[in-house]
Amino acid sequence: MGVDSNSSSGSFILMGLSEHPELERVFSVAIVFSYLLTLVGNSTIILLSRLDARLHTPMYFFLSNLSSLDLAFTTSSVPQMLKNLWGPDKTISYGGCVTQLYVFLWLGATEGILLVIMAIDRFVAVCWPLHYMTIMNPRLYWLLAAISWLCGLGNSVIQSTFTLQLPFCGHRKIDHFLCEVPAMIKLACGDTSLNEAVLNGVCTFFTAIPLSIILTSYCFIAQAVMKIRSVEGRRKAFNTCLSHLVVVFVFYDSAIYGYLLPPKSSNQDQGKFISLFYCVVAPMLNPLIYTLRNKEVKGALGRLVQKRREAR
């Protein structure tokens, strides 16, 4: 394991729960269950958004993008997690680690930006309802989605490139479930001050600015909702916005804890569990949060089931 990591040879060891082997089976069962729910829930949202004409709106276009992200996000990490938890072989190849690092950072940053775009979409829908379809036209919402994916890719290239230039010496054991930037910085045997500065700067940019935009949007949304005279209209606007806000806080709370808080403020095991939460649990919760209080999605699902029954 004493191979120079700056070459494309060698491998890493993902320690995961090696210090707590009695928990490995328990966590593996929980991860499999959560992953299956993630696949079913997010695939259902994508399917309904494509098949039901009533859901061909900007809101559900962005929601299906979010579901696609969650599917890719979990799939980029869960299989490797399960491999490590189920057997004694906890190695990951250099190429596999690099791929996981790039994809993980790309999709994570893209989701953060997409949540901002969804907040702006809700702002336009609530504050300017008569102009909503004119403003949020197909050309614009496709452009916004593309911008979120490209910005996420830019974040991935910057952080991954800086991280992979570090010299990884000796055992090359990553005390984590994933090839994640903070864990790999701790593994380095050289000066990491520049990497830590880049990590803090990029993460602050991708959290502080998006959160400020989201909270500002919802301040205006709250004012607009209070002016709606119809009780049903207020309730519908409140339910839609509440679902999005819950997803926002789940995502950003875990991201801030995992990437921005100083290492001394929490132990390594807590960091691992936070990563498990935003890799496995959050993508499972997102479709539940958006559908439990959403009559449009429930109605679309009911119509789809009814069509299937009639086809038989």
Side-chain angles (χ1 to χ4, degrees), residues 6-186:
N6 291 326
S7 68
S8 58
S9 60
S11 60
F12 294 96
I13 300 174
L14 296 172
M15 300 302 293
L17 291 173
S18 298
E19 296 181 358
H20 308 282
E22 70 281 1
L23 296 178
E24 288 186 335
R25 292 294 178 184
V26 176
F27 271 83
S28 64
V29 172
I31 289 172
V32 168
F33 179 73
S34 298
Y35 185 50
L36 291 176
L37 287 180
T38 299
L39 292 177
V40 172
N42 287 288
S43 297
T44 300
I45 288 180
I46 295 170
L47 186 66
L48 292 176
S49 299
R50 294 288 179 85
L51 297 181
D52 196 297
R54 300 184 190 184
L55 301 185
H56 291 174
T57 64
M59 173 183 168
Y60 292 103
F61 171 79
F62 293 130
L63 184 55
S64 63
N65 265 262
L66 181 63
S67 292
S68 300
L69 271 171
D70 285 338
L71 285 175
F73 198 52
T74 52
T75 303
S76 70
S77 55
V78 166
Q80 182 66 44
M81 283 186 190
L82 294 176
K83 176 197 169 190
N84 292 353
L85 290 170
W86 281 344
D89 182 15
K90 301 185 184 300
T91 61
I92 181 172
S93 67
Y94 180 84
C97 189
V98 169
T99 301
Q100 189 179 76
L101 185 67
Y102 271 98
V103 172
F104 192 80
L105 289 170
W106 178 23
L107 299 178
T110 300
E111 182 163 346
I113 298 171
L114 188 61
L115 290 174
V116 177
I117 293 172
M118 293 173 74
I120 295 173
D121 173 69
R122 291 299 83 207
F123 166 76
V124 176
V126 174
C127 297
W128 296 317
L130 298 179
H131 305 285
Y132 175 62
M133 295 308 297
T134 303
I135 297 173
M136 297 301 294
N137 57 74
R139 181 179 179 181
L140 178 61
Y141 61 68
W142 274 99
L143 176 62
L144 291 173
I147 288 173
S148 68
W149 286 87
L150 289 173
C151 287
L153 180 60
N155 166 71
S156 175
V157 170
I158 293 171
Q159 292 205 56
S160 298
T161 301
F162 272 93
T163 302
L164 294 172
Q165 287 178 346
L166 288 170
F168 302 117
C169 310
H171 52 72
R172 302 184 76 179
K173 293 179 180 178
I174 302 175
D175 191 14
H176 212 288
F177 293 102
L178 307 163
C179 291
E180 204 173 15
V181 174
M184 295 188 73
I185 288 178
K186 291 180 181 178

Side-chain angles (χ1 to χ4, degrees), residues 145-292:
I147 288 173
S148 68
W149 286 87
L150 289 173
C151 287
L153 180 60
N155 166 71
S156 175
V157 170
I158 293 171
Q159 292 205 56
S160 298
T161 301
F162 272 93
T163 302
L164 294 172
Q165 287 178 346
L166 288 170
F168 302 117
C169 310
H171 52 72
R172 302 184 76 179
K173 293 179 180 178
I174 302 175
D175 191 14
H176 212 288
F177 293 102
L178 307 163
C179 291
E180 204 173 15
V181 174
M184 295 188 73
I185 288 178
K186 291 180 181 178
L187 184 66
C189 56
D191 181 18
T192 61
S193 56
L194 177 60
N195 296 79
E196 292 172 3
V198 171
L199 176 64
N200 290 331
V202 172
C203 289
T204 300
F205 177 81
F206 277 93
T207 53
I209 295 178
L211 270 177
S212 299
I213 295 173
I214 291 171
L215 293 177
T216 301
S217 297
Y218 274 101
C219 287
F220 287 108
I221 288 172
Q223 293 177 357
V225 169
M226 296 305 296
K227 295 178 181 179
I228 298 176
R229 296 182 180 180
S230 166
V231 175
E232 178 65 21
R234 281 202 303 268
R235 187 185 63 80
K236 182 179 179 181
F238 175 77
N239 286 343
T240 303
C241 295
L242 179 63
S243 299
H244 181 249
L245 272 177
V246 171
V247 171
V248 165
F249 284 118
V250 167
F251 176 82
Y252 279 104
D253 282 354
S254 56
I256 289 171
Y257 188 98
Y259 280 84
L260 286 180
L261 290 186
K264 294 182 180 180
S265 66
S266 61
N267 61 48
Q268 185 64 22
D269 283 342
Q270 286 177 328
K272 293 179 189 177
F273 296 142
I274 290 294
S275 294
L276 274 180
F277 182 81
Y278 63 73
C279 289
V280 180
V281 179
M284 176 194 69
L285 292 177
N286 287 351
L288 294 176
I289 293 170
Y290 276 109
T291 56
L292 286 178

